[in-house]
Amino acid sequence: GHAQIWQERCILDGHCLSVCPQGAKQVLSDVDKVKTYLQQDTPVVVSLAPSYIASCHHPHKIVAGLKALGFSYVEETANGAELVAWAHRAYIEAHKGPFIASSCPGVVNLIEKHYPAARDYLIPIVSPMIAHGHLLRESYGPQCRVVFIGPCVAKKGEAAETQFQGVIDAVL
């Protein structure tokens, strides 16, 4: 009689958020964590998903607003996407296909949980968010706090994966 998520089947696509008739499912918020980061002396850096351009009428105000809130640096996650694209190309040139190349953690989750026979076809390259997180830490120091801002719910799960601990500190 209660809605529940089967973690072993969940691909973190956020579909449950829109279809739950009780509105019982919500995305866990990192807002308070980020507010704490902004009160500390450590630089807080934003990796901003390129989709922000389409999500508001005045995209140039987003960067100015983030800086006014206290973020030290704001860069587009597209910088990480460029690195990932080059890595995909190098992988494809060095290996024999077929391949599945996806930077979407929801697609990767779908394959891993529902089509495990296709796992071997996934190119083992991190997503643009993770690549950008590494790049930001190289640029601004390992002590900086990296906050990813974007519309994808699956990014929260990706950032929390054990192998990516310490790369992305919060997802908004």
Side-chain angles (χ1 to χ4, degrees):
H2 293 95
Q4 58 179 279
I5 301 296
W6 296 347
Q7 292 303 326
E8 68 276 2
R9 296 184 53 85
C10 179
I11 62 170
L12 298 173
D13 65 351
H15 185 64
C16 61
L17 300 170
S18 61
V19 299
C20 180
Q22 293 86 17
K25 295 296 170 193
Q26 296 180 358
V27 177
L28 293 176
S29 175
D30 283 346
V31 170
D32 289 337
K33 184 191 303 188
V34 173
K35 285 180 179 179
T36 300
Y37 294 158
L38 291 171
Q39 294 171 357
Q40 299 168 347
D41 290 334
T42 306
V44 184
V45 184
V46 171
S47 176
L48 186 60
S51 57
Y52 83 95
I53 293 286
S55 65
C56 60
H57 290 73
H58 304 286
H60 60 282
K61 291 184 179 181
I62 296 287
V63 174
L66 290 169
K67 292 217 174 173
L69 287 171
F71 290 95
S72 306
Y73 306 97
V74 179
E75 292 190 13
E76 283 193 45
T77 315
N79 294 332
E82 184 175 0
L83 296 174
V84 169
W86 284 106
H88 275 122
R89 180 178 180 178
Y91 186 90
I92 289 167
E93 289 174 353
H95 298 83
K96 187 173 170 125
F99 304 110
I100 299 173
S102 180
S103 294
C104 173
V107 170
V108 172
N109 292 339
L110 176 70
I111 292 167
E112 289 180 344
K113 293 186 177 190
H114 296 276
Y115 302 97
R119 280 185 192 151
D120 292 340
Y121 299 109
L122 280 170
I123 295 179
I125 307 290
V126 298
S127 72
M129 177 185 75
I130 298 299
H132 196 220
H134 285 297
L135 184 63
L136 291 171
R137 289 189 186 281
E138 286 177 22
S139 298
Y140 302 112
Q143 79 289 349
C144 75
R145 296 293 189 167
V146 178
V147 177
F148 173 80
I149 299 176
C152 178
V153 175
K155 295 294 188 188
K156 286 189 163 287
E158 180 185 23
E161 290 180 28
T162 304
Q163 71 266 28
F164 302 133
Q165 291 294 311
V167 179
I168 303 295
D169 295 296
V171 176
L172 300 177

